[in-house]
Amino acid sequence: MSFLICLPILAVPQPTANRMKGSYHWMNERAVSLITVPLLVTAFTYGAHPINDMLLGIVVPVHAYMGFQQVLLDYFDARRWPVISRVLRYALVGVTGLALFGCWRINTTDVGLTNYFGRIWNANKNKKNKEAAKSE
């Protein structure tokens, strides 16, 4: 007495095996990570510089894109979740494009990324200093 229902197994197309594709992807991720470290050290050590800010505005969103792309590839496989996978990939490209545009706008029309994040980091301290000056 078996209650199992035999369903036809759907054939899922298997991708062709290519060892080098994963190797190149891994090397690109490591290269972007290694480029990010000296840029951040330069920003913390020497402060704001337009060239460093522009490079940070490119490298940091690309680094985030590669990281989130791996998350999407791991958890939303295109063979299992074809629609959701495609929607999330397009959303990731769109958000990355907006991040690149935002970094470009901050670098060209505002104070630059290094000073921008410095202001955000010290905003609470500056607020307390202004309140202390008002109370005196």
Side-chain angles (χ1 to χ4, degrees):
M1 286 205 208
S2 175
F3 293 104
L4 295 176
I5 299 173
C6 295
L7 297 174
I9 297 175
L10 299 175
V12 177
Q14 296 295 320
T16 58
N18 186 355
R19 294 181 197 174
M20 295 308 291
K21 182 179 178 184
S23 174
Y24 289 140
H25 185 75
W26 187 85
M27 285 187 333
N28 290 338
E29 284 182 345
R30 296 294 122 357
V32 169
S33 297
L34 288 174
I35 291 169
T36 306
V37 173
L39 289 175
L40 289 174
V41 169
T42 303
F44 285 129
T45 305
Y46 297 111
H49 190 275
I51 294 173
N52 193 38
D53 284 346
M54 195 57 75
L55 290 173
L56 277 172
I58 295 169
V59 171
V60 171
V62 169
H63 179 74
Y65 171 80
M66 290 179 135
F68 282 114
Q69 183 184 30
Q70 280 304 114
V71 171
L72 293 180
L73 288 173
D74 287 345
Y75 293 106
F76 295 100
D77 186 32
R79 291 176 290 169
R80 185 168 182 188
W81 307 94
V83 176
I84 294 174
S85 174
R86 182 173 290 156
V87 168
L88 290 176
R89 279 187 289 156
Y90 286 139
L92 178 61
V93 170
V95 168
T96 303
L98 287 174
L100 286 166
F101 178 72
C103 290
W104 175 76
R105 289 285 295 184
I106 289 171
N107 283 328
T108 57
T109 62
D110 207 355
V111 295
L113 284 177
T114 306
N115 284 335
Y116 184 78
F117 285 110
R119 285 181 180 181
I120 291 173
W121 187 269
N122 294 321
N124 209 14
K125 293 177 190 174
N126 293 339
K127 184 178 177 182
K128 288 179 184 177
N129 290 340
K130 287 181 182 178
E131 289 174 359
K134 284 182 183 179
S135 65
E136 290 178 356

